Amino acid sequence: MRDTLREQGDDGTRSRMVDHIAYFNSQEEAETFVAFLREHGYESEEPDDEFSVSFTRESSVVGDEFESELSALRSKAYELGGQYDGWGCTVVPQSG
């Protein structure tokens, strides 16, 4: 994803809405993850019938803070028996 951003003139440092997704094996796991997300400032819909959770939060997509965020999401999903499946965002080219 970051390579694609760079190719489009986006170095990832500007804040933008970042979309994430995680998958779980049960409604209970997914709902527990949603509670975790909301406690940490993410916006999330309720889990769907397949126990997937889509969520968003505004941030840049580079740096230690973002990497720590991704690590925490992966760890929490794994802890609950699920899988964090990645992130995506729109291109925000550098001005000037």
Side-chain angles (χ1 to χ4, degrees):
M1 181 70 197
R2 288 189 187 108
D3 289 340
T4 301
L5 293 174
R6 275 191 291 276
E7 290 169 6
Q8 298 295 319
D10 184 348
D11 68 3
T13 59
R14 295 184 67 194
S15 186
R16 82 281 315 277
M17 195 59 67
V18 181
D19 303 312
H20 303 266
I21 192 161
Y23 298 97
F24 296 90
N25 297 309
S26 73
Q27 188 73 20
E28 182 180 348
E29 293 170 353
E31 288 174 356
T32 301
F33 190 69
V34 167
F36 166 83
L37 294 171
R38 291 181 178 160
E39 289 173 10
H40 290 87
Y42 292 90
E43 294 182 25
S44 175
E45 300 289 323
E46 292 300 316
D48 69 16
D49 293 341
E50 301 294 319
F51 315 126
S52 70
V53 177
S54 297
F55 52 104
T56 61
R57 186 163 82 172
E58 190 170 323
S59 71
S60 70
V61 294
V62 294
D64 292 342
E65 186 174 330
F66 188 67
E67 293 305 319
S68 292
E69 176 184 339
L70 295 178
S71 179
L73 293 170
R74 283 186 201 101
S75 293
K76 188 63 175 180
Y78 180 77
E79 173 187 317
L80 295 171
Q83 176 181 342
Y84 174 75
D85 198 41
W87 61 273
C89 65
T90 59
V91 173
V92 181
Q94 302 305 303
S95 57

